[in-house]
Amino acid sequence: MNHADLVALLKPGVQEKGGRWADLGAGEGAFTMALADLLGPEAHITAVDKDANALQALDHRFEARVADFTRPLDLRDLDGVLMANSLHFVRDRAPVLEAVRAMLRPGGRLIIVEYGSDRGNPWVPHPFTYPQWETMAARAGFRSTRLLKTVPSRWLGSMYAAVSEL
């Protein structure tokens, strides 16, 4: 997927410019840059990844934080959190989703991007389908979960973006 594809995948979930967001599991920042295009230059985005080398690829306009998003991050009152192809690395997602809820301000949004499969592989160990996400999000206290977009993927058949609100 190219940059325009990533922007198109996230676009229905971003309702306004600006704000404070975090990209958890940002890697080299492909989705971080797509999010930044949608939020505009007035936004503050914290890109979090445990791989310091990957974060070095990011533009200096982002706050890069070397950290494991499954551990406390001391992020609060965020307008949104993006987790693009990162939550499938976590087997027990409930504590992570609880921590994400604590990061968000009331009305905040969680956008996830995930493979549309319930069977993983060594590179994507714990993917989950959109119906599974609806259930997980509700259990974690999120509401208004909706599917944003689905695209074909050569790796696990499809990829989707979804948004859930606090």
Side-chain angles (χ1 to χ4, degrees):
M1 291 176 59
N2 64 32
H3 181 74
D5 295 331
L6 302 181
V7 169
L9 195 59
L10 300 180
K11 187 175 184 173
V14 177
Q15 293 185 325
E16 55 192 45
K17 299 274 188 188
R20 295 181 59 240
W21 283 69
D23 181 0
L24 305 182
E28 293 181 354
F31 277 99
T32 312
M33 289 182 263
L35 180 64
D37 279 0
L38 292 166
L39 294 173
E42 59 276 7
H44 177 88
I45 301 173
T46 302
V48 177
D49 201 280
K50 58 185 175 181
D51 183 348
N53 290 329
L55 287 173
Q56 287 180 355
L58 279 173
D59 188 314
H60 287 31
R61 63 185 162 149
F62 307 112
E63 176 188 345
R65 189 179 296 188
V66 179
D68 180 345
F69 68 79
T70 66
R71 308 257 186 242
L73 294 173
D74 192 32
L75 292 170
R76 297 279 180 264
D77 298 317
L78 297 175
D79 296 294
V81 169
L82 172 62
M83 298 188 80
N85 295 329
S86 58
L87 203 49
H88 60 230
F89 290 106
V90 180
R91 181 183 298 273
D92 184 10
R93 293 181 276 267
V96 173
L97 293 174
E98 183 178 322
V100 169
R101 281 189 64 225
M103 292 176 199
L104 292 168
R105 65 165 178 75
R109 306 164 73 81
L110 169 58
I111 298 175
I112 63 145
V113 176
E114 187 53 66
Y115 290 99
S117 174
D118 57 7
R119 296 183 58 188
N121 61 39
W123 301 274
V124 182
H126 312 290
F128 46 91
T129 61
Y130 175 72
Q132 290 174 316
W133 172 246
E134 283 183 311
T135 301
M136 277 189 283
R139 283 186 186 145
F142 288 94
R143 59 181 178 78
S144 303
T145 296
R146 64 185 170 94
L147 183 64
L148 300 173
K149 188 170 183 170
T150 302
V151 295
S153 170
R154 63 180 172 201
W155 307 114
L156 290 172
S158 67
M159 181 180 285
Y160 67 91
V163 65
S164 299
E165 297 176 6
L166 188 58

